[in-house]
Amino acid sequence: MYRALQLVLPRPSGTVRTCVLLALLAATGVAILELVREQTGTSGFFVGLGLALLPVAPLMAAFRWLGRAAPAPWSQLLFCFGWGACTAALIAILANNFATEWIAAATTDASAADHLGSVAIAPVVEESAKAAALLLVFSFRRRHFTGPADGFVVAGFTATGFAFTENILYLGNAFVEDLADRSGVLESVTMATFFVRIVLSPFAHPLFTVLTGLGFGVAAVSARRSRRIFLPLLGLALAMGMHALWNGSSQFGEHGFYVVYSCVMVPVFGLLVWLAVRIRRNRLRAVEGELALYAAAGWLGAAEVPALASMPARSLARALARRSGGRAAGRTVARYEADAAALALLRNRARRGGPVRERDFAGRELELLHRLWQSRATAGPALARAAVMEELVPPWFDPLDPEPDPAAALTDVPGPRRADQDRGAPDPTRGTGPGPTLEPAPAATPGTAREPGLRRSGPWSSATPAGPASIRPCVLPGGDEVR
């Protein structure tokens, strides 16, 4: 039946899916804003909105910093924020209210219903609603979901959006209560709520949802299907458990909140910060190791590799390009850096997971290489100069040396060649304009045949890149096949 429906009903295009999601976000955004305004009143809504905005920018900047090694598109990150602030928040409010009212009617105990709803119902509903955004990105934007770092970032933006809307509701209700009681500023409920939610624990919701994001991130680089199913569910279960412990902390006595905060939340937060820094560092190392292959084959300058693996050098290269060529040149360098990182991580994932995990490796590699080649005239000199200024290469090193390393003959990475230098038949898959073609790499062993024309490279085959052993990519055992 499912196969028959697949044949009859074509899969919606990317444009259709985007329009549907934007319409959903718009509808839920209007609904949640009106619902919150009804509960807080107009004055409470605007006070809560102003106070809830304060932690948003720092949290978004922190998660964006983590993902800068291979940045995701802003459209994807804003979708995640919007999903958390609008769709997930609306689902949570409606489901939590319904469940609490149903429990109160069944038990005739409103206090017990509120406690049970906050500890047992709210964590399940809220974390599931936030996890839906991660599932959508994981399913339909797998190209931009390349590992634990992306899980961190996507989960962080989603949870930041959710906490933003929730803070408007809590702070707005507190302000209305203070107006009715005519409380002073220091002893007001608004001040206490602001201190707990904005000052003391702005990272609470991101901390919970990041556990789910880590599950999806590890699943994205796992070769086994069982792990790709089990790990996100495990992360979601951990997020629900942490959320339930946090919501139930007030039930552990007079100082229960402070005990849970100091003994659980702060250590877990510190552990996740350490893990985030480690993941970012490992990602930059992977970028350096894999790009060494492409530099050896002639696609990149040798000085570009250390620059692309250094975030200060990347920032300096963009600044140098803007200074000499304006904002357009700066954007070109930024796209070049993002494409180079995507290419390196693509090859790294395929090398670790084999052809099962990256069936379209050759096509995606070719697409990224062409985009890099088109921007290299602008980005290459800026990155090379940044490498020299950041002292990433020796002072006597010539950063503009165009000659590829002879060690490229031992790799499976094809080298670039200008279209007007290609004496063979034109590639029917490419246009007639100038640009690079993929030149077959010389055979590693004398006497072996070489494929004419366009040759696909395989990330799982043996490779000996140029450069020190510390940046050589790993070689999968037994994988010398070339696709």
Side-chain angles (χ1 to χ4, degrees):
M1 180 66 179
Y2 177 72
R3 295 288 297 176
L5 287 175
Q6 280 188 319
L7 294 175
V8 174
L9 300 175
R11 185 179 181 180
S13 65
T15 303
V16 172
R17 291 197 300 266
T18 300
C19 292
V20 170
L21 289 175
L22 288 177
L24 177 63
L25 289 180
T28 54
V30 172
I32 190 65
L33 287 177
E34 180 61 23
L35 184 60
V36 172
R37 192 195 63 80
E38 287 181 359
Q39 294 192 25
T40 62
T42 302
S43 60
F45 173 80
F46 284 107
V47 170
L49 176 64
L51 296 176
L53 276 172
L54 295 178
V56 171
L59 287 172
M60 292 176 70
F63 286 110
R64 183 65 174 173
W65 172 88
L66 173 60
R68 287 296 297 173
W74 267 110
S75 58
Q76 176 177 300
L77 299 180
L78 292 178
F79 161 76
C80 293
F81 181 86
W83 180 278
C86 301
T87 308
L90 181 63
I91 293 173
I93 288 179
L94 295 178
N96 289 340
N97 289 343
F98 174 80
T100 302
E101 292 175 1
W102 183 82
I103 294 173
T107 61
T108 65
D109 187 346
S111 177
D114 288 338
H115 172 63
L116 184 61
S118 65
V119 175
I121 305 299
V124 175
V125 172
E126 294 177 9
E127 295 306 322
S128 299
K130 288 182 284 185
L134 280 69
L135 180 60
L136 288 172
V137 175
F138 183 80
S139 301
F140 297 105
R141 289 293 182 268
R142 183 71 64 86
R143 177 177 292 184
H144 301 298
F145 209 122
T146 59
D150 295 300
F152 251 102
V153 175
V154 171
F157 270 78
T158 305
T160 300
F162 185 90
F164 168 67
T165 300
E166 192 177 71
N167 286 337
I168 296 175
L169 181 62
Y170 277 89
L171 291 166
N173 284 332
F175 179 76
V176 172
E177 183 178 344
D178 289 333
L179 285 181
D181 296 340
R182 297 183 178 181
S183 302
V185 175
L186 295 180
E187 61 270 12
S188 65
V189 179
T190 303
M191 180 60 70
T193 305
F194 179 84
F195 178 75
V196 171
R197 297 190 66 87
I198 307 300
V199 178
L200 206 60
S201 58
F203 57 84
H205 272 289
L207 186 149
F208 307 145
T209 313
V210 157
L211 299 175
T212 307
L214 283 175
F216 276 102
V218 178
V221 295
S222 298
R224 296 183 182 179
R225 184 176 182 182
S226 59
R227 292 182 179 178
R228 298 199 299 273
I229 297 174
F230 171 73
L231 290 175
L233 294 177
L234 175 61
L236 179 60
L238 292 175
M240 292 176 179
M242 284 287 296
H243 198 155
L245 179 64
W246 174 249
N247 284 0
S249 60
S250 60
Q251 305 299 319
F252 299 152
E254 183 179 356
H255 302 291
F257 170 82
Y258 299 101
V259 171
V260 171
Y261 180 83
S262 59
C263 297
V264 179
M265 296 291 287
V266 171
V268 173
F269 175 74
L271 178 62
L272 289 178
V273 169
W274 171 82
L275 184 60
V277 173
R278 184 179 179 86
I279 288 174
R280 187 176 188 263
R281 185 182 299 118
N282 290 341
R283 193 172 234 198
L284 289 173
R285 287 176 180 171
V287 168
E288 185 176 16
E290 299 296 344
L291 290 183
L293 287 169
Y294 294 99
W299 286 100
L300 305 172
E304 294 178 43
V305 176
L308 288 167
S310 168
M311 299 310 297
R314 286 197 201 180
S315 178
L316 178 58
R318 294 193 297 271
L320 292 172
R322 284 194 297 268
R323 187 182 304 171
S324 60
R327 293 183 179 179
R331 288 193 294 267
T332 299
V333 174
R335 287 194 300 268
Y336 187 89
E337 294 169 349
D339 288 339
L343 176 64
L345 296 178
L346 172 73
R347 189 176 185 86
N348 186 260
R349 289 196 313 276
R351 185 186 300 283
R352 290 188 297 171
V356 175
R357 297 295 300 124
E358 295 293 339
R359 295 185 178 90
D360 191 33
F361 168 80
R364 176 65 174 156
E365 181 193 42
L366 181 59
E367 175 189 347
L368 289 170
L369 286 173
H370 281 163
R371 283 160 53 176
L372 287 174
W373 194 265
Q374 292 170 0
S375 304
R376 189 182 176 191
T378 299
L383 285 164
R385 187 179 175 191
V388 173
M389 295 176 68
E390 289 289 324
E391 299 181 351
L392 301 176
V393 293
W396 60 85
F397 184 81
D398 182 5
L400 301 180
D401 183 9
E403 293 299 324
D405 195 290
L410 301 179
T411 72
D412 64 338
V413 175
R417 181 170 57 189
R418 292 290 185 182
D420 54 5
Q421 297 174 348
D422 192 356
R423 298 179 180 178
D427 184 1
T429 63
R430 299 184 61 250
T432 58
T437 60
L438 288 181
E439 183 182 58
T445 304
T448 56
R450 289 190 288 172
E451 278 185 56
L454 185 65
R455 173 178 177 268
R456 294 180 178 179
S457 64
W460 38 88
S461 56
S462 301
T464 307
S470 61
I471 62 171
R472 292 180 183 174
C474 60
V475 178
L476 292 183
D480 57 356
E481 178 186 358
V482 177
R483 297 203 311 167

